[in-house]
């Protein structure tokens, strides 16, 4: 089965105060507000953390944690060449663990809910891009997210 068109998958719409808002615009707006309050480039920090989460050894750890949480099939869908099964914020928290979420909050300066929301939208595609053959890459292989 061919992967769904990434453009269609990445343009997730949500209803916000009676209007349809592009989720990526919503996230960009949130990042802009946080950057203006905290200073610095939060978007770069989030991308760096996402890249760290999609290294071969880390993807294996995500899969192991997902298996323990009963969510292994979801993460395997991100690795496989079939469509990515979406995750909820609670599932992302279960896969990552509270320690990882806390570390991401510390490193990005974003609130935990914002970090988890960003990961709900970006982590499946990032894992997918780092497993283009549908299998976990060798531990020495690194690609950017």
């Amino acid at each position: 089965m061919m992967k769904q068109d990434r453009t269609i998958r990445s343009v997730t719409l949500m209803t916000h105060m009676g209007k349809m808002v592009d989720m990526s615009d919503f996230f960009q707006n949130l990042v802009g507000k946080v950057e203006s309050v905290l200073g610095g480039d939060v978007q770069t920090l989030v991308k760096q953390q996402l890249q760290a989460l999609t290294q071969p050894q880390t993807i294996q750890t995500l899969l192991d944690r997902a298996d323990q949480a009963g969510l292994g099939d979801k993460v395997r869908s991100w690795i496989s060449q079939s469509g990515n099964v979406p995750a909820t914020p609670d599932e992302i928290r279960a896969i990552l663990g509270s320690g990882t979420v806390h570390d991401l909050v510390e490193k990005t300066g974003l609130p935990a809910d914002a970090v988890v929301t960003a990961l709900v939208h970006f982590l499946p595609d990032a894992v997918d891009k780092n497993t283009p053959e549908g299998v976990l890459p060798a531990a020495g292989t690194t690609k950017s997210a």
Side-chain angles (χ1 to χ4, degrees):
M1 174 188 254
M2 297 295 291
K3 289 210 179 252
Q4 296 175 346
D5 184 317
R6 291 184 196 277
T7 305
I8 292 171
R9 286 187 307 177
S10 66
V11 180
T12 304
L13 298 176
M14 63 179 254
T15 303
H16 180 68
M17 298 173 66
K19 298 178 183 176
M20 297 302 283
V21 178
D22 184 315
M23 184 54 81
S24 63
D25 289 343
F26 171 77
F27 182 69
Q28 290 295 340
N29 188 27
L30 176 65
V31 167
K33 287 180 181 178
V34 171
E35 286 176 347
S36 68
V37 171
L38 299 177
D41 188 359
V42 175
Q43 187 173 7
T44 298
L45 289 171
V46 171
K47 285 181 181 180
Q48 288 171 345
Q49 298 313 310
L50 190 59
Q51 185 174 358
L53 286 173
T54 57
Q55 296 304 308
Q57 183 175 348
T58 311
I59 293 174
Q60 182 61 59
T61 300
L62 290 175
L63 182 57
D64 293 344
R65 287 181 182 170
D67 282 337
Q68 292 171 358
L71 300 167
D73 289 342
K74 198 161 284 211
V75 174
R76 280 184 188 81
S77 79
W78 306 344
I79 296 168
S80 74
Q81 291 183 315
S82 61
N84 294 341
V85 176
T88 66
D90 288 339
E91 290 170 336
I92 291 292
R93 287 178 192 271
I95 292 167
L96 294 178
S98 60
T100 300
V101 172
H102 177 75
D103 289 346
L104 292 169
V105 167
E106 291 288 316
K107 290 175 182 176
T108 63
L110 291 169
D113 288 342
V115 168
V116 171
T117 298
L119 291 173
V120 162
H121 295 286
F122 301 119
L123 185 59
D125 283 338
V127 169
D128 186 35
K129 288 176 186 173
N130 282 281
T131 55
E133 301 300 317
V135 294
L136 289 170
T141 306
T142 58
K143 294 181 181 179
S144 60

